[in-house]
Amino acid sequence: MTILEATNPVDTAETAAKDTIKMKEADLNEAATESDHKTVGDCFVENPKFSVRDANVYYGDKQAVFDVSLDIGENEVIAMIGPSGCGKSTFLRCLNRMNDTIDICRVEGKIELDGMDIYDSRLDVVPLRARVGMVFQKPNPFPKSIYDNVAYGPKIHGLVSRRVDLDEIVETSLRRAGLWDEVKDRLNQPGTGLSGGQQQRLCIARTIAVSPEVILMDEPCSALDPIATARIEELIAELSENFTICIVTHSMQQAARVSKRTAYFHMGKLMEVNETQKVFTNPDHELTEAYITGRFG
Amino acid sequence: MNKISTTEQVQRSLKKRYRAEKRFRMYGVTSIVIGLLALLLLFTEIISKGVGAFKQHYVSLEINFDADDLGLDADLFTFFDAVREDYGNKLHSELKIADQHATMAEALSEFEAQAQRDFGMTVIDALQAREQQLADANFTGIIRNSLRERFPSVKSRRDRRALYSLVSVGASFDLRDRVNADASLIGTTQKLWLLADDDLDTYVKSLNDSEPFIGRLKENQVEFISSWLEKNEIDARFNTIFFTSGDSSEPEQAGILGAVMGTFFTLLVTLILSFPVGVAAAIYLEEYATKNKFTDFIEVNINNLAAVPSVIFGLLGLAIFLNFFGMTRSVPLVGGMVLTLMTLPTIIISSRAAITSVPPSIREAALGMGASRMQTILHHVLPLAMPGMLTGAIIGMARALGETAPLLMIGMVAFIAEVPSSWNDAATVLPVQIYLWADSPERAFVERTSAAIMVLLAFLIMMNGLAIYLRKRLERRW
């Protein structure tokens, strides 16, 4: 298996285009094989929110994630970085079983949320996804009004019965997403009419409206300009007081700014997990170092 | 050797490229012009031929409603009008239902004494006697009297018959309706406009042509017509009969309403059956079914069915609905079911395309919020796919509107004079009516055929307009 071979079919094209490997291929290959089934750093924490053990994910015959074991602590922001096609998004989508929507996808291993196996066959994904919300790469508000976008979650989960309560949830969620002042006068206008950054904050507001415990963010800023990105990053910092946040990002600066811990993925394997500061100043793994210094990726 | 610079080379080929470009565009323009010309030709042909059908000629005659000639008792009719004023318009229909007579007699008790005194029978009997008299009355006779008075010189039997045939058979029904509506006509003489025969109508319409169409008219008939025309006793009026009655073997009495109602009921059944079934099938195939050999097989079959000649669906309908289930033949219900079979593949295919075109990010967003599969479909996928599905459904319906072949097999290609009033009455549809009229020998059916085509085209334009309106209305950007 060469370093160029795609592990995640979604990213195949992108990976193929990444021909800019600066490190010598042989060296990397060696490093990758060497570190098989072994993650360096602190994978485990006490009283984890999520505890993942030996997770393997397959798309048909192709394996996208190899033996990942990782704990995610309560109210911590964990960033997942790595080159395209390294399986970080796939891993993230396992945490609220969004991979179920892909027919050929298969997940093995144990993933527990507060000690409950989320891949238990008896488990209902609807309440799971209410506890573990998700924000996607491309802002995807519903083609409905701003109000309806935020009210959708509370409505389908039956969280409120009275209109006033719903109004309150919508206002609180929009305030926490830092969007209230911008949209309070046009709640009935379509959410799709907002700017990209506002749309993404609307998606965050929509997610927190159902008061989840964990928010998964899949490259939430990759479609946004730097100012909107800064706004979202501030928001993440504020939200981290109440929510556990897992963020996948391509921007190492972003990971360094927002997260407490950072996980480095490489070709479907989790290479290193450490305090963010340590990862970016003195990483334990040579591949991590190669990646953060820009020698490939 | 002189090396030519690239710029020069480009310059040289440039002219040739521009010419090719121009030619390419001209091909497109030519195709569109040819298409438009064909359309223009079609429309001018149909409209110029069919516009005559919207006018119908009437002849003015002095009609003497003589009570003895008609065999009517004027008092009985005046009595009936008084009763009707009191009882309302239900009177006619209730008289025909024997069960209701007891309650009716009670309601009409105040007229009982009068009926006994004047006619020596009960009120119900009096009213029924009046019905019978009206049915037996010889209205044709008073029209003939009037015609003989108008042309006193016509003596021979043959000439008289020629004269009589210039007024439509339908005119006597018109007179009966008038007497039925108003008893005071009896005993009076009225100058009335009576429906002319189609031969007269066609001839008078063609008078402005280089060579008037005489057709079956005899020499003396043309003379009668000229005499009427001289005295302005022939008039063209808007042809309401064409829009208010069913088919008839007499062109001047033939109308499109029967076919229009038949089409309406047939399409209603088709829409009610095919849209929900088609959409449900499309949703299941797109959103739930896993891709495997079996679903591939279904998909191939659906695509195949969309291309099966429609007459085959007619045979299927004949074998299953009529022969196996023993349903009534010639009715819109069965016609609609056959057309449903034919339309379903179209609706399924277009609905699937509409569902696929809903961006997956919307589905992910809903699922990520914890919406169930069904909530995702009902709240997000369907509203976004609806314009496309409706467009597909209406295009399928428009195709069903123009079908004749499948209906042939289930007996909807038939002469049906009665206007259907439900989906279980024998009926025919517009394209079949067009076919039947086009096949009729009377000259007057030519313009009616074209007029019926105009009505069909109007239907089609309306449906397509509705499709565009719905699409614009429901379309949402994302």
Side-chain angles (χ1 to χ4, degrees), chain B residues 368-433:
Chain B
M369 290 296 301
S372 66
R373 262 289 184 39
M374 191 182 91
Q375 284 171 328
T376 307
I377 292 167
L378 290 185
H379 299 163
H380 303 288
V381 177
L382 274 192
L384 291 175
M386 202 40 95
M389 296 201 283
L390 281 177
T391 313
I394 290 174
I395 288 171
M397 298 296 290
R399 196 188 144 202
L401 173 68
E403 277 302 337
T404 338
L407 303 179
L408 184 79
M409 297 293 163
I410 54 151
M412 281 185 85
V413 179
F415 173 81
I416 286 150
E418 196 102 336
V419 177
S421 56
S422 81
W423 56 34
N424 225 0
D425 290 345
T428 188
V429 292
L430 274 169
V432 170
Q433 189 67 76

Side-chain angles (χ1 to χ4, degrees), chain A:
Chain A
M1 200 185 202
T2 72
I3 196 85
L4 282 173
E5 205 165 325
T7 43
N8 183 342
V10 182
D11 288 339
T12 310
E14 211 183 324
T15 315
K18 295 261 176 202
D19 226 341
T20 52
I21 295 178
K22 289 164 192 152
M23 202 177 179
K24 273 180 202 155
E25 211 173 284
D27 290 356
L28 272 174
N29 267 339
E30 198 183 321
T33 3
E34 220 173 77
S35 54
D36 256 357
H37 308 294
K38 201 177 81 198
T39 307
V40 296
D42 295 329
C43 299
F44 308 115
V45 296
E46 278 189 23
N47 298 323
K49 190 81 194 161
F50 262 115
S51 123
V52 182
R53 295 290 178 271
D54 302 321
N56 287 293
V57 186
Y58 305 85
Y59 289 109
D61 298 332
K62 213 150 209 174
Q63 190 165 4
V65 170
F66 297 82
D67 296 322
V68 170
S69 294
L70 176 67
D71 278 351
I72 298 166
E74 182 112 34
N75 291 3
E76 95 173 339
V77 181
I78 183 163
M80 293 164 196
I81 58 169
S84 290
C86 67
K88 56 193 188 300
S89 286
T90 302
F91 174 72
L92 188 77
R93 291 166 64 95
C94 291
L95 298 180
N96 70 344
R97 291 186 55 176
M98 278 304 280
N99 282 333
D100 288 12
T101 56
I102 303 165
D103 280 343
I104 54 166
C105 184
R106 190 159 50 86
V107 180
E108 282 172 5
K110 198 163 196 177
I111 303 178
E112 287 181 343
L113 173 63
D114 286 336
M116 172 188 76
D117 183 4
I118 66 166
Y119 276 88
D120 191 318
S121 57
R122 284 163 301 176
L123 183 117
D124 188 354
V125 294
V126 169
L128 171 70
R129 287 179 190 154
R131 287 177 72 188
V132 185
M134 185 151 191
V135 176
F136 297 87
Q137 181 171 2
K138 202 176 141 244
N140 55 357
F142 300 127
K144 295 174 188 279
S145 72
I146 294 171
Y147 183 94
D148 287 341
N149 260 285
V150 183
Y152 185 69
K155 264 191 207 159
I156 57 167
H157 293 301
L159 299 184
V160 285
S161 49
R162 290 186 309 154
R163 176 83 186 185
V164 261
D165 296 337
L166 193 60
D167 288 347
E168 201 188 311
I169 289 187
V170 170
E171 183 177 339
T172 331
S173 308
L174 284 170
R175 273 191 198 284
R176 289 170 87 177
L179 196 60
W180 176 252
D181 293 329
E182 292 159 59
V183 301
K184 64 182 172 196
D185 299 325
R186 43 174 177 156
L187 288 175
N188 289 321
Q189 284 173 25
T192 39
L194 299 171
S195 73
Q198 287 174 323
Q199 286 190 15
Q200 195 61 297
R201 276 181 283 150
L202 178 62
C203 292
I204 293 174
R206 181 177 70 186
T207 309
I208 57 183
V210 290
S211 318
E213 294 156 33
V214 185
I215 302 176
L216 310 176
M217 297 186 172
D218 190 358
E219 299 179 37
C221 302
S222 64
L224 305 181
D225 64 65
I227 294 168
T229 303
R231 196 80 193 69
I232 303 268
E233 284 176 11
E234 264 171 52
L235 183 58
I236 293 172
E238 284 164 29
L239 292 174
S240 66
E241 287 171 27
N242 302 301
F243 302 99
T244 306
I245 296 174
C246 308
I247 177 169
V248 163
T249 177
H250 265 300
S251 154
M252 282 173 275
Q253 291 88 336
Q254 185 171 64
R257 282 192 297 263
V258 301
S259 69
K260 185 163 154 270
R261 285 203 303 158
T262 297
Y264 174 69
F265 282 76
H266 189 95
M267 286 173 63
K269 291 169 190 133
L270 180 58
M271 291 302 171
E272 175 170 357
V273 187
N274 260 321
E275 293 289 317
T276 301
Q277 211 186 343
K278 180 167 167 48
V279 171
F280 286 101
T281 50
N282 181 25
D284 288 338
H285 201 288
E286 54 183 304
L287 273 169
T288 317
E289 192 180 359
Y291 180 68
I292 62 164
T293 51
R295 274 192 278 155
F296 72 93

Side-chain angles (χ1 to χ4, degrees), chain B residues 137-186:
Chain B
N138 184 8
F139 288 100
T140 319
I142 60 168
I143 295 174
R144 288 180 178 178
N145 291 345
S146 161
L147 283 167
R148 278 200 301 274
E149 269 169 41
R150 174 67 181 75
F151 296 101
S153 56
V154 181
K155 293 288 181 214
S156 78
R157 230 183 138 84
R158 180 192 295 200
D159 288 351
R160 279 186 176 169
R161 196 173 292 152
L163 176 61
Y164 298 157
S165 73
L166 287 177
V167 174
S168 168
V169 195
S172 63
F173 303 125
D174 178 39
L175 293 185
R176 185 167 64 197
D177 290 345
R178 283 167 194 262
V179 170
N180 188 20
D182 183 8
S184 66
L185 280 177
I186 300 169

Side-chain angles (χ1 to χ4, degrees), chain B residues 89-101:
Chain B
N89 276 325
K90 291 188 299 176
L91 199 56
H92 275 298
S93 51
E94 295 199 353
L95 268 177
K96 284 169 191 141
I97 307 166
D99 298 352
Q100 309 221 354
H101 288 174

